[in-house]
Amino acid sequence: MNTTLKNESARAIYDVVISGAGPVGLFLACELALAKCSVLVLEKAIEAHSPLKQLPFGIRGLSSPTIEALYRRNLLQELEIHKHLKNPHQNAVQGPRRQAGHFAGIPFHDGDIDITQWKYRLPGSTPASLITEMQELETVLSRRAEALGTEIKRGFAVTGFNQSNEGVIVQAGGESFACKWLVGCDGSRSVVRKTAGFEFAGTEPEFTGYSAKADLLHPELLKPGRNVTPTGMYMQSQPGYLAIQDFDGGAFHGSAKPVTREHLQEVLRRVSSTDVTISKLHIASTWTDRARQATSYRNGRVFLAGDAAHIHAPLGGQGLNLGMGDAMNLGWKLAAAIHGKAPEGLLDSYVTERHPIGAQVLDWSRAQATIMKPDPNARALHAIIADLINTTDGATYFAGRVWGVSTQINLDGKHPLVGYSVPNFEFEDGTKIGQLMHHGHAILLDFKHNNSLKKLANEYDGQIHYISAVAKNQLGLNAALIRPDGIVAWATDDVVDINELQKVMATWFS
Ligand SMILES: Cc1cc2nc3c(=O)[nH]c(=O)nc-3n(C[C@H](O)[C@H](O)[C@H](O)COP(=O)(O)OP(=O)(O)OC[C@H]3O[C@@H](n4cnc5c(N)ncnc54)[C@H](O)[C@@H]3O)c2cc1C
């Protein structure tokens, strides 16, 4: 359909319409609004508050890249999660043997992790993992997005759209909204993804997962902690708060039947091998390990981010983190395109950078589902992983993956830091580099007071902030170029090769 922005009756033309006010849509809105783009968020739900987003169901584990992203935008201290700090740098060296995370229910421990293997992670970095609550995160992000000028319309479900070379007309709540770009952050059943015809490829589930709050007659019949059993997994985090995995091939979740007290009791009894009784069921939801990923995250003027782009089991808690990473990556690139400052290929680099990271997370979740299966082959693999995870290298490997500390974007670059998140350098006056990233600009960091670097940064019309300073620990670096999302695009330990730096700058900025 040949739609133009002019022939629609839509009142305003937004730079970006975002479908979905979940954490990913809201964080993307913050990033775009910070970069002075006009943003409209359309959200299907009328109410921002759902019981499934509150404690304990709404509990989410944040990993290092998300924590850093929130810190770099001055959002971290607004979250209560500060009260639940789990900092590996405090615990890992000689600390007690505390569980620091898990893979398929197999714990790894703080005391086993060798943080010296993460050469570029400075002491005093933000924590590697934290706990938050979905509702609180969304409240903080909504508040920030609105303070920056974003419009959020609740009760406006996106039902369709048409895109042309000039823009997109989005239909929601019986109205039309015109925009230059549309981003689908509308979750696993994304209407944007389906309407645009994105291919959503992947694998079918092994199990149905249950999250429930129930009254139990004898909760003590269930063992504490996470229990992998011959028929699945169960966990009672506090009396009556249940998480269960039942390896039914995802049949129950797929049936869309409501979870009744009788059904949940039958599943819990079978999985826990107890005769525990559920006297009352308050609330329950189901999920699966279906793992699918859009084969591309872009179709013309339409992008996908978050669960709209990829779904997988919540084992080890990675979906929100993956989506927040999408938003941090897409935000500055889309803003640059809107302001006419995107070099060729910048927008497509969102897909080439984020798709492989999404694929790794899907495989991580598939690997966990596979070794949790109640069969002898899986149990044999499970035992091997349990041995490995108890070694220093094993625990460090699993922590690096689960916490996202070892996440690297595949960028061209000679220096080993290229593609990684910038270390949180602390300058002589006590300021940390993350605190200089609140405005979302790129940074050219110069530890050697090199005037030619200053001149070069100034050619980029305010896009790149030049910082000349001495850091307490420079990790051997002389200079580094840091993108607005905190990723190191270029770094050197030697004399700066200006031609090389100019080339890298031209890849990301214009
Ligand atoms: C039990 C469980 C535990 C989890 N634990 C973790 C964890 O510890 N760590 C972690 O990183 N991840 C975890 N996850 C995954 C995480 O919750 C999701 O990956 C994350 O919520 C995705 O965010 P999103 O914004 O992409 O999508 P959503 O949170 O699904 O938000 C999408 C939004 O779009 C709206 N919407 C839908 N359709 C439309 C439409 N047509 N028009 C407009 N709006 C629409 C929805 O109402 C919703 O507000 C867990 C998931 C589950 C089920």
Side-chain angles (χ1 to χ4, degrees), residues 79-414:
L79 294 167
E80 282 289 303
I81 47 180
H82 268 109
K83 296 182 185 158
H84 305 270
L85 282 186
K86 281 199 279 169
N87 188 338
H89 293 296
Q90 286 159 5
N91 302 331
V93 188
Q94 291 296 326
R97 200 173 151 72
R98 274 193 291 177
Q99 180 171 339
H102 74 91
F103 179 80
I106 310 168
F108 54 85
H109 298 92
D110 277 337
D112 292 340
I113 299 162
D114 175 13
I115 58 171
T116 63
Q117 292 189 19
W118 303 326
K119 184 180 162 204
Y120 289 105
R121 195 171 157 80
L122 282 165
S125 303
T126 45
S129 73
L130 287 174
I131 300 294
T132 190
E133 185 197 1
M134 282 278 271
Q135 181 169 303
E136 193 206 5
L137 181 62
E138 289 184 1
T139 304
V140 165
L141 293 173
S142 302
R143 197 163 56 216
R144 172 64 62 84
E146 286 179 325
L148 290 166
T150 297
E151 214 180 312
I152 302 175
K153 283 182 181 284
R154 298 189 186 274
F156 280 76
V158 169
T159 49
F161 63 84
N162 297 295
Q163 67 164 314
S164 67
N165 289 338
E166 295 162 61
V168 189
I169 305 293
V170 184
Q171 284 90 40
E175 296 184 32
S176 294
F177 301 92
C179 56
K180 295 175 191 156
W181 303 91
L182 170 65
V183 188
C185 299
D186 44 356
S188 55
R189 298 194 166 101
S190 171
V191 167
V192 172
R193 185 185 70 230
K194 290 174 188 164
T195 308
F198 284 97
E199 189 185 344
F200 203 42
T203 47
E204 288 307 299
E206 301 281 355
F207 64 78
T208 295
Y210 298 82
S211 300
K213 182 180 176 223
D215 293 341
L216 304 180
L217 281 191
H218 293 287
E220 70 283 358
L221 285 174
L222 300 175
K223 287 194 208 152
R226 182 185 295 267
N227 300 282
V228 176
T229 73
T231 48
M233 187 286 297
Y234 75 91
M235 183 171 76
Q236 185 179 208
S237 52
Q238 34 181 303
Y241 289 102
L242 301 166
I244 310 169
Q245 272 165 257
D246 180 21
F247 281 81
D248 65 349
F252 185 81
H253 178 83
S255 74
K257 285 186 199 154
V259 185
T260 61
R261 184 195 67 81
E262 292 75 15
H263 174 75
L264 194 70
Q265 177 174 289
E266 185 275 313
V267 172
L268 181 58
R269 284 184 171 183
R270 185 160 36 77
V271 170
S272 66
S273 302
T274 66
D275 59 357
V276 67
T277 298
I278 295 179
S279 52
K280 185 168 180 185
L281 179 61
H282 296 279
I283 185 169
S285 72
T286 64
W287 36 276
T288 71
D289 58 321
R290 174 175 285 111
R292 289 187 179 269
Q293 186 180 23
T295 50
S296 174
Y297 294 177
R298 179 181 182 186
N299 175 341
R301 291 184 165 270
V302 181
F303 288 90
L304 299 177
D307 279 13
H310 37 69
I311 54 163
H312 56 85
L315 301 170
Q318 307 230 339
L320 168 63
N321 292 297
L322 188 57
M324 296 290 276
D326 294 343
M328 191 73 167
N329 190 294
L330 178 59
W332 70 276
K333 294 174 180 174
L334 195 48
I338 287 161
H339 298 310
K341 295 195 166 171
E344 208 189 317
L346 184 71
L347 272 182
D348 286 329
S349 75
Y350 165 62
V351 186
T352 51
E353 290 180 11
R354 292 304 300 173
H355 195 277
I357 291 178
Q360 279 171 19
V361 171
L362 260 69
D363 276 350
W364 190 254
S365 117
R366 287 184 183 114
Q368 293 185 81
T370 300
I371 69 163
M372 290 176 102
K373 270 164 79 170
D375 68 42
N377 296 341
R379 275 203 297 280
L381 264 175
H382 194 277
I384 292 169
I385 300 285
D387 282 346
L388 291 175
I389 216 167
N390 278 319
T391 64
T392 299
D393 282 349
T396 310
Y397 169 80
F398 281 96
R401 292 284 304 259
V402 170
W403 292 342
V405 174
S406 52
T407 304
Q408 183 186 21
I409 294 176
N410 190 8
L411 301 180
D412 275 347
K414 291 184 208 145

Side-chain angles (χ1 to χ4, degrees), residues 30-36 69 72-74 144 328 331-333 335-336 433-443 462-465 482-486 509:
C30 291
E31 284 298 285
L32 289 163
L34 184 66
K36 310 230 173 321
R72 288 170 181 162
R73 297 300 185 251
N74 204 19
R144 172 64 62 84
M328 191 73 167
W332 70 276
K333 294 174 180 174
I433 195 165
Q435 296 169 303
L436 303 176
M437 299 170 81
H438 293 176
H439 299 292
H441 298 113
I443 291 175
Q463 290 178 82
I464 303 173
H465 279 199
I482 301 141
R483 307 192 318 192
D485 56 2
F509 312 102

